[in-house]
Structure formats: C-alpha cells, structure tokens
Amino acid sequence: MAEYKLKTPISEEEIRKLRVGDIIYISGIIVSARDKAHMKALKEDLPEELKKYLKDGVVYHVGPVVKKINDKLIPISAGPTTSIRMEPVEHEFIKRFKVRVVVGKGGMGDKTLSALKEFGAVYAHWPGGCGALAVNAIKNVKKVFFLEELGVPDAFWVLEVENFGPLLITMDSHGGSIHKEVSEKVERNFQQILEQL
Amino acid sequence: MVNLEKIIEDTAVKMLQLAVTELPPDVMNALKKARERETNERAKKILDTLITNAEIAKERRVPICQDTGLIIWYVKVGEDFPIKSKLYEILKNATIRATKEVPLRPNAVDPITEKNTGNNTGPHVPYINWEIVPGNELHLTVLPKGGGSEYWCRLYMIKPIEGLNGAIKCVLQTLKEAMGKPCPPLVIGVGIGGGADIALKLAKKAILRPLDDMHPNPKVAELEQRVLNLANKLGIGPMGLGGDTTCLGVKVEVAARHVATYPVGIVIQCWAARRCSVIINKDGSVRYLTHKV
Ligand code: SF4
C-alpha cells in the first residue's frame, strides 16, 4: 500500500501505477457532477472550458452545501454522494471526457470497472458523510456551470483543491475492486448466518 | 406577553442548525465505542475520519454531511398548548429560514416538473407527524433524513409462517444489497406488523430513539440485540469496505398485525444519525433534549 500525491492534469502512466488499497491526495482542479450533470454531459455538447477541466482530470460525485460569503458562493460541506447512481453512464462519461479519477462513495459496478481498465482511470473513495472535512482541501471555486438550470447540488462546480485526501483507491485500472472483494465475503457470511438462523 | 409563535419558529430554526452540525451524544458515543472495539485496520481509519469530521462540523457549526436531508418533523402537541393548527405554517417557515440561515442544501425536488424548489419545501414537505398528548407543552423533534440511506429503506410483506426469523432475514438481505452505499455504520429501524404504511412509520420513528436506550418490552429488546449481533457478523464494515462495525444500533417497534399479513418495514439511517428534540412550554420556556445549548 503506497501513498501518492497527484496533480491535475494526471497522466495515464500515473494512474496505471495505482493499485487498490493505495492512498492518494489530489491537488489542482476537480469538477463536481451528479446524476443530472452526467445526463446533460452525455446529451449535449458541453462548453469547451468545462471539457478542458475534465480531460485528464477528476470528477467528484458531490452536491455541496454552499454559503454566500461576500457575494461569492463557497462550499461549506462537500462529502461524496452515492456513486452507483451514475453507473449506467459513467463508462461513457470516462470514455468521452478522458477523466482519470472518479471520486465518490460506495463504489461502482462492473461496467465502470471495465472503463477504468480500458481508458486508464481509478475510482477513489472518500468516506460518505464527511462533508465538513472535505472542504478543508477546497481553496477556491473557480467556476460554476449550469447553476441556474441544474440547481446547487447538481451543477458542475469547478473547484481548486490542495491535497484533497486521503482518498482510498477502491477500484483500480487493472480490474481490482475492494467493493467486489468485500461483497463476496459478505455474501458468504450471509449464507452462513442464514443456515444458523 | 410572550410571542409564542416567534419562539417556536426561532427554536425550530435553531433545532435544524443543531441537528445538521452536531451529532447527539448517544450517536457520538456509539461511534467512539465502535472504534475501540473495531479490529479491522482500514475500518479503524474510517471510523477515525468520521469522528474527526463530526468534531470539525460541531466546532465550526457547518453541516456534518452536505446532504442535510429531507426535513421531517415529529410534533406532539399538548391539548392545553395554545398553538395548534398554525404549527404547520410555523414549521414550514422555519424550514425555509433554516435553508438560508444555516444554510441547508436545497433538497426538495418536485417529481413532476423535476425542478428543485430551492427552499426545502414542496408538496407534503416538510412532512409533519402529529400526535396530541395531555398537558401544556409542545414536543418537537426534527429528523433531517439523508437520501443516500433513505434509498435503501424497504418494505417486505412476508408470509406469516416465516415469522420473526423471516423478518431478521429481510434486514440482513437489505444490508447485504446496500453494502457501503447508505454510509455504514448504520442505525436500523424495524417496524413489524400493522399495515404496510404503519410498519414503515414505526420503523422511521424507531431511529429517533437514543442509541443507548432499552426497549420496554424485554422480548423486543432481546430481538434488537440479536439483529444487531447478526448484522455486525456480515462484515460489511464502515463504508462497506470491511470490518466489524456495520451497525451502531437496531431499534424495533411492533404493531398488531392482521392474521393474514406480516409487514416488515425497514428504515436505514446512516452514521450521521442526526436529530434534535426540544420541549416548549406554553410559558415560552424551551428545553433541549438532545443538545447542550
Ligand atoms: S447517507 Fe447520510 S452520511 Fe451518507 S451522504 Fe447521505 S446523509 Fe450523508
């Protein structure tokens, strides 16, 4: 288990080094996207500037709580949302926008796992509910896309972060998935418990 | 003359702020105890992170989790408490104010237009559960219920022949499917009996009980302990990444069932098991039950 500090834009080579169980810290730019943002990105052509932030970049499954401070919207709590909701579309999202790191909670399925392998990306896990801690790393809101149309939680927030982590790599680009491992173990425990009920 | 309406509204705003920024002591203690008992290294680290996060949120008075929930109120109004039918409007206003002042994340979406209403209100929301009780006090509890855990709530209508073991199986099945997605370690509310709606209502009310309380019916208390032990044997662990701590508590409530049906309502609450309760007297005095103010 190793620890890495990554800076966006992130190369495929850096990603291929990572294995499940590794810890990463990210500095640079991350972009938030939940269900609606994913759908929009796949249905319409996104602004070039936003595409630039996504390429070799980081997508974070988050809908922050924001507070208006001196006329600027600042996230004050920004933990991850349940990633599996994006499972039907994440493969295409990674493929189209060349995203290198997907940050979320709860893990994702086989389709995403195959995209990580094919296009060179990882899934990094941030403990769900830890929104207060996550904002420590957010230094600035660079831009917000489609705030009016999508609403606060669902807009694309482009955030400048410093040492965002520790993020645990739970799915890597070599087919490894801690979520799968634990699921298999839980299934065995479940069957055993039922037999003894 | 005290302005009771204003006291209620201000208190309700304060309750929302306290609820989303500070875990009640029973939840905090349960997390710390679980951390001491945990044997899995990864799980220990995650529990540490959860505890640190909760401490930072309290200190800075910012939301523990960015999902500040759909707002649900439980109201017990004394029959001699002077304000009754106006309470809905007062609590609705408080919800709108808290959304701006705390702030809360606007989470209420109209399912027909798909528009976020922007202020955490909408048809039937905030939802209010009413009870009329003797006395001259108003008991208020707020439950800001997160979506990630709510997604995994389930209703099972099992065969009466399957009985309690069948109900236990439903709980374990739900947990196994959910894995890390509802943000374990969890609090599980189980409602057994009644009709379909009653089982779920009881299950949701059950998650408001302090984690360290004991069910007054010893048979139910024993069942709660049994389900808790079995759930923690699954090995799901904090955030579903393995470990001993899958659940912090299991709370069961029962209602008589129809001879031919056996409803099992399961409500899943995440580790950020937020709630706040107060009692407001008709003289305007306020007592906080879950938080030090
Ligand atoms: S399940 Fe709970 S802790 Fe997890 S993101 Fe939702 S509200 Fe937050």
Side-chain angles (χ1 to χ4, degrees):
Chain A
M1 259 164 252
E3 262 190 39
Y4 296 90
K5 302 219 168 202
L6 301 178
K7 219 173 147 10
T8 60
I10 302 166
S11 69
E12 177 167 355
E13 198 191 333
E14 286 173 283
I15 291 298
R16 296 283 179 197
K17 270 193 229 158
L18 303 173
R19 301 276 169 171
V20 289
D22 287 348
I23 299 279
I24 59 169
Y25 292 83
I26 299 171
S27 296
I29 299 276
I30 63 177
V31 181
S32 82
R34 291 164 46 108
D35 322 41
K36 285 188 186 166
H38 276 77
M39 294 308 286
K40 192 173 175 68
L42 297 185
K43 259 196 251 145
E44 299 165 23
D45 198 22
L46 291 184
E48 287 307 318
E49 189 187 354
L50 181 53
K51 283 198 244 176
K52 201 184 78 205
Y53 293 130
L54 288 169
K55 186 166 183 304
D56 294 319
V58 181
V59 64
Y60 183 19
H61 297 153
V62 64
V65 180
V66 296
K67 193 173 187 170
K68 211 174 210 163
I69 302 170
N70 298 334
D71 254 5
K72 213 173 159 173
L73 293 171
I74 307 289
I76 57 167
S77 193
T81 192
T82 307
S83 298
I84 198 78
R85 291 201 316 274
M86 273 57 81
E87 177 67 12
V89 289
E90 201 70 82
H91 184 286
E92 182 61 25
F93 194 86
I94 293 169
K95 180 178 173 188
R96 206 180 291 181
F97 300 104
K98 308 279 179 290
V99 170
R100 293 280 176 219
V101 184
V102 179
V103 181
K105 73 161 168 107
M108 301 191 75
D110 283 337
K111 203 168 151 197
T112 302
L113 194 60
S114 73
L116 301 181
K117 199 169 171 179
E118 195 175 339
F119 308 110
V122 289
Y123 178 83
H125 193 275
W126 177 257
C130 292
L133 200 58
V135 293
N136 274 357
I138 300 176
K139 298 300 159 200
N140 185 30
V141 177
K142 197 156 175 98
K143 200 151 182 179
V144 198
F145 289 89
F146 307 113
L147 181 59
E148 268 298 298
E149 182 189 333
L150 299 176
V152 167
D154 287 296
F156 290 91
W157 293 82
V158 180
L159 307 167
E160 275 174 16
V161 295
E162 215 177 283
N163 283 324
F164 179 42
L167 299 163
L168 178 71
I169 302 296
T170 56
M171 295 165 70
D172 63 23
S173 66
H174 309 281
S177 165
I178 294 183
H179 305 285
K180 236 176 155 169
E181 270 169 46
V182 179
S183 282
E184 284 161 13
K185 214 159 150 193
V186 168
E187 181 63 45
R188 285 198 298 275
N189 293 341
F190 176 73
Q191 295 305 340
Q192 230 172 44
I193 294 171
L194 287 201
E195 275 162 33
Q196 290 162 6
L197 259 191
Chain B
M1 260 299 277
V2 292
N3 183 346
L4 203 50
E5 282 181 26
K6 183 164 179 340
I7 292 174
I8 299 169
E9 187 178 306
D10 290 346
T11 305
V13 173
K14 179 91 190 152
M15 286 171 73
L16 273 162
Q17 189 210 27
L18 288 169
V20 301
T21 58
E22 180 181 342
L23 287 180
D26 56 291
V27 180
M28 214 45 192
N29 286 339
L31 281 168
K32 287 182 180 161
K33 276 201 191 141
R35 167 64 178 85
E36 277 166 33
R37 277 195 309 263
E38 181 62 60
T39 57
N40 177 306
E41 286 309 314
R42 192 189 292 145
K44 281 186 198 170
K45 278 205 193 109
I46 295 173
L47 289 170
D48 280 338
T49 308
L50 304 185
I51 292 166
T52 310
N53 180 73
E55 285 168 352
I56 289 183
K58 179 180 172 183
E59 199 185 294
R60 296 193 199 145
R61 281 281 168 238
V62 297
I64 301 162
C65 175
Q66 73 294 332
D67 180 356
T68 51
L70 199 70
I71 307 305
I72 301 168
W73 294 92
Y74 288 80
V75 176
K76 272 194 230 172
V77 54
E79 55 194 351
D80 299 319
F81 191 80
I83 298 174
K84 295 188 189 75
S85 58
K86 242 191 141 183
L87 281 172
Y88 182 76
E89 202 189 309
I90 296 173
L91 293 178
K92 187 172 170 183
N93 282 340
T95 304
I96 295 172
R97 264 183 60 195
T99 303
K100 269 212 193 118
E101 291 171 26
V102 174
L104 307 175
R105 194 175 74 180
N107 278 335
V109 175
D110 184 314
I112 303 298
T113 62
E114 279 300 312
K115 272 268 169 225
N116 191 319
T117 64
N119 63 11
N120 278 313
T121 73
H124 294 288
V125 168
Y127 190 80
I128 302 189
N129 296 274
W130 298 98
E131 250 180 90
I132 296 183
V133 295
N136 59 11
E137 294 175 329
L138 171 69
H139 295 235
L140 287 181
T141 294
V142 70
L143 170 66
K145 184 64 174 66
S149 56
E150 188 71 4
Y151 185 87
W152 295 98
C153 297
R154 292 290 181 265
L155 173 72
Y156 289 86
M157 301 297 282
I158 62 174
K159 296 188 181 66
I161 267 183
E162 295 176 70
L164 279 183
N165 273 350
I168 294 173
K169 199 173 143 187
C170 294
V171 175
L172 299 176
Q173 174 77 32
T174 303
L175 296 181
K176 184 188 75 158
E177 282 170 25
M179 289 297 295
K181 295 167 199 92
C183 294
L186 307 171
V187 177
I188 303 171
V190 186
I192 303 177
D197 56 333
I198 299 163
L200 278 170
K201 276 258 183 224
L202 289 175
K204 190 159 257 181
K205 208 171 162 196
I207 63 166
L208 296 172
R209 279 169 47 198
L211 283 171
D212 48 12
D213 80 346
M214 233 331 204
H215 197 283
N217 178 338
K219 288 233 163 80
V220 177
E222 198 190 308
L223 177 67
E224 289 176 348
Q225 197 53 49
R226 185 162 169 233
V227 180
L228 178 63
N229 292 342
L230 292 174
N232 282 334
K233 277 200 187 135
L234 284 172
I236 295 170
M239 296 302 140
L241 298 173
D244 314 316
T245 316
T246 300
C247 292
L248 296 174
V250 174
K251 301 291 173 188
V252 179
E253 295 298 337
V254 295
R257 64 175 181 84
H258 182 279
V259 278
T261 69
Y262 203 115
V264 182
I266 299 170
V267 166
I268 302 291
Q269 172 68 306
C270 48
W271 73 271
R274 297 154 290 178
R275 65 178 203 278
C276 181
S277 299
V278 305
I279 297 177
I280 302 177
N281 192 282
K282 89 174 191 191
D283 68 14
S285 60
V286 182
R287 262 182 301 146
Y288 284 84
L289 306 181
T290 43
H291 293 76
K292 278 205 195 90
V293 174

